Amino acid sequence: MPSSLIVYFDYKSPYAFVAKMPIYQLEKDFELEVEWRPYSLCIPDFLGTVDVEENGKIVGGTRNEHQWRRTRYLYMDARRLATDTGQDLMIKGPARVYESRTAHIGTLYAQKQGIFRVYHDLVFDRFWKRKLDIDDVDAVAAIIAEVGGDAAAFEVYFAGEGQRDHDTVIEQANEIGIFGVPSFVLNGELFWGNEHLPSVRNRLSA
Amino acid sequence: MTKTIIAYTDYKSPYAFLAKNATYGLFDDFRAEIEWRPYTLDIPSYLGNAEVDVNGNVIAEERNAHQWRRVKYSYMDCRRRAERMGLTVRGPHHIFNSTVAHVGMLYAQRKRVFMEYHNAVFERFWKRELDIEDPQVIANVLKEVGADITGFEAFLDGQGVAELEHIMEDAHEHGVFGVPSFIVDGQLYWGAENLPLVREHFAV
């Protein structure tokens, strides 16, 4: 029986960005069809909130010292991981805490339209260059149009069915026990984090 | 030239426990000088707080749904890793304070019985056979591994705690927030999964 691999990602996670290419490679090496599912991380649940003024100045929020150290580390580490895996990726620091729900509804729409991969690549790439606001419905619609989709139809989907589809995906993920990205569900077994890619690969080879 | 690596650990972290032997491997393979430092995790600051009874029923909690999923995953993942290593990891009933055991570590280092102490505390704690919060229990471990414990009580009441605080402040200046963490050539790595990258610092 062919293996089933579900990958949970979030555009606003630098680790999910760095994991994308190695996952494409897994697909290629094992002739797998990965099921990509968006998981909109609720950053305040684990890294607190940060209030930022328009000029970028931090003026408040609930992020504690531990969470600040963790956040600084994860950006440094994701950049190091990109370099160590031979990827030339631009990973700019965040301007604020993003939600990514809008871009994830865009993912679900792109999947229905058969334009997932180009959409996925473009959103990740532009977001991390800070050239795309993943929470702005017009900006996401423009990407849909750029990759060959129908922006107006996306906006209709976004206003209704897309919201419900998104929430269903998140609820299912939470039931499985997902809490972070990238997460991998390989034949029912859950793995969280880029460091598990070798374990996933080993199991696929077995 | 011998290279030094700083390894931060916490007895109450199953991930730190599972990384212990692989960290020793840096000495075995590269003769690396490992400077072990205790880092007392403040778990409620990132995983909230919870207490369960002997049957595993939650009897008190200040933990959101995200934090619960994270905690459940962590124990599943640790057990999966421990199984492969032939080690035992039993889930705790409450969040332990590892301060006493960490002061014990500093004392063991002074008395040159660190490794024996480190192994005994980690292994017994994760079998739930050792209360790391009890000064008398920790003193007994120190004695058992060959340390003269006449000065331990005074060390725990004064200098030991001050030293631990100093180590924590220094760790925070380096950006440490979790364990196991490693600092080598000024680079910080968090998590045992980074040990292959850490090893590259020694292999060159």
Side-chain angles (χ1 to χ4, degrees), chain B residues 176-189:
Chain B
V176 174
F177 60 91
V179 294
S181 279
F182 308 95
I183 298 178
V184 57
D185 293 333
Q187 283 225 49
L188 173 65
Y189 295 92

Side-chain angles (χ1 to χ4, degrees), chain A residues 49-62:
Chain A
T49 60
V50 182
D51 302 331
V52 186
E53 279 183 347
E54 267 184 31
N55 59 11
K57 194 179 164 206
I58 295 165
V59 290
T62 64

Side-chain angles (χ1 to χ4, degrees), chain A residues 164-181:
Chain A
R164 291 189 293 277
D165 286 353
H166 172 271
D167 292 348
T168 303
V169 171
I170 303 295
E171 278 163 29
Q172 275 176 355
N174 289 341
E175 275 167 28
I176 294 173
I178 304 290
F179 59 91
V181 296

